[in-house]
Amino acid sequence: VFYNWSQTFTPENRIDVTTGQSFPNQLSTINEGGIKVDMFSNRLTGTFTVFDILQDNVVVNVHNPVTGLQTLQAIGNRIIRGWEADFDSQPIDNVTLKLGVGSIDKAATQAGLHPRWVGIGINYKAFGKYTFSSGPLKNFAIGGGVVFTNDAAGDNTDTFTLPGYAVYDGLLQYRHKDWSVQLNVYNLSDKVYAITAVDRTRIYSGEPRNYRLTWRYHF
């Protein structure tokens, strides 16, 4: 069982054009606690955490889609609350499983604005790999996973929403003595999805299907 409390500050030297004065430093107070588990002779390990973050004197860039200019805007405080859990499991020798899941239960300023790019609600990632230990496929491994990100505010003033998305990945691997070769395939379905934005006129998509081939040798 663990508990952490911390306070941080971010020095702020940017100028508020309406007052001519520097914005005050951003202050953050972080409370988090949870449990760590190690069970069944390391067959299941993981961490469950609950967190509460209070940020004061938050300043954001606000983009004007007409002029293309950005201005600084103080938005007061911001609260981010939620939980997250990460687990690694090896139920049998041939199978490896990884799971990460969390929920942002509240993420908003005092005016009710949601922070940009923060998926509100459940977000998760999962991955599994099976390694063949006998037969013609001995030393081969196959795996796959998914990453899901929930709906998020598209800009700093929360004027539109980027829809949530799920991206699937896969891998093939072969090991022999001190070397291995692995093929990773990212975004298997070649999904088109919005990953970030500046404003409604500048929305950027995630990467299309792509591949990475890796060869490793252990000395």
Side-chain angles (χ1 to χ4, degrees):
V1 177
F2 66 92
Y3 172 75
N4 295 318
W5 176 87
S6 62
Q7 283 188 320
T8 63
F9 79 95
T10 302
E12 184 63 76
N13 55 15
R14 294 176 295 180
I15 303 298
D16 184 346
V17 296
T18 61
T19 65
Q21 304 295 318
S22 295
F23 289 103
N25 294 335
Q26 180 177 304
L27 307 174
S28 297
T29 301
I30 304 170
N31 288 275
E32 63 175 358
I35 58 173
K36 296 183 178 182
V37 297
D38 187 339
M39 305 171 64
F40 311 119
S41 300
N42 295 321
R43 290 285 187 179
L44 175 63
T45 61
T47 304
F48 176 81
T49 306
V50 177
F51 55 87
D52 186 311
I53 304 171
L54 174 62
Q55 300 171 318
D56 287 310
N57 306 326
V58 177
V59 178
V60 297
N61 284 310
V62 178
H63 182 77
N64 187 319
V66 177
T67 64
L69 300 176
Q70 290 188 345
T71 58
L72 298 174
Q73 179 176 319
I75 57 174
N77 66 36
R78 180 162 58 199
I79 296 174
I80 302 176
R81 292 176 182 156
W83 58 268
E84 60 184 7
D86 292 282
F87 295 100
D88 293 318
S89 175
Q90 191 174 23
I92 59 176
D93 290 341
N94 302 64
V95 175
T96 301
L97 302 173
K98 296 180 179 291
L99 173 66
V101 60
S103 176
I104 303 297
D105 300 323
K106 181 176 182 179
T109 67
Q110 58 197 48
L113 301 179
H114 297 118
R116 184 172 59 160
W117 308 344
V118 176
I120 307 299
I122 293 290
N123 301 274
Y124 60 83
K125 57 183 178 180
F127 185 84
K129 184 173 77 171
Y130 181 84
T131 302
F132 296 89
S133 58
S134 61
L137 294 179
K138 183 179 180 180
N139 296 328
F140 276 94
I142 185 171
V146 58
V147 177
F148 173 76
T149 302
N150 219 319
D151 297 351
D155 61 5
N156 280 322
T157 50
D158 197 9
T159 62
F160 70 101
T161 300
L162 294 179
Y165 57 88
V167 178
Y168 299 89
D169 304 321
L171 74 79
L172 293 172
Q173 183 186 74
Y174 178 74
R175 292 181 179 273
H176 181 71
K177 295 182 178 180
D178 294 328
W179 62 271
S180 66
V181 61
Q182 179 172 306
L183 175 65
N184 289 82
V185 184
Y186 303 100
N187 192 2
L188 277 167
S189 63
D190 204 21
K191 183 181 182 67
V192 177
Y193 60 98
I195 192 172
T196 186
V198 176
D199 55 40
R200 291 177 183 270
T201 65
R202 288 194 286 177
I203 300 175
Y204 301 96
S205 63
E207 292 187 351
R209 183 190 301 119
N210 61 96
Y211 307 85
R212 184 177 68 186
L213 182 65
T214 307
W215 183 83
R216 293 185 177 93
Y217 183 85
H218 298 277
F219 295 93

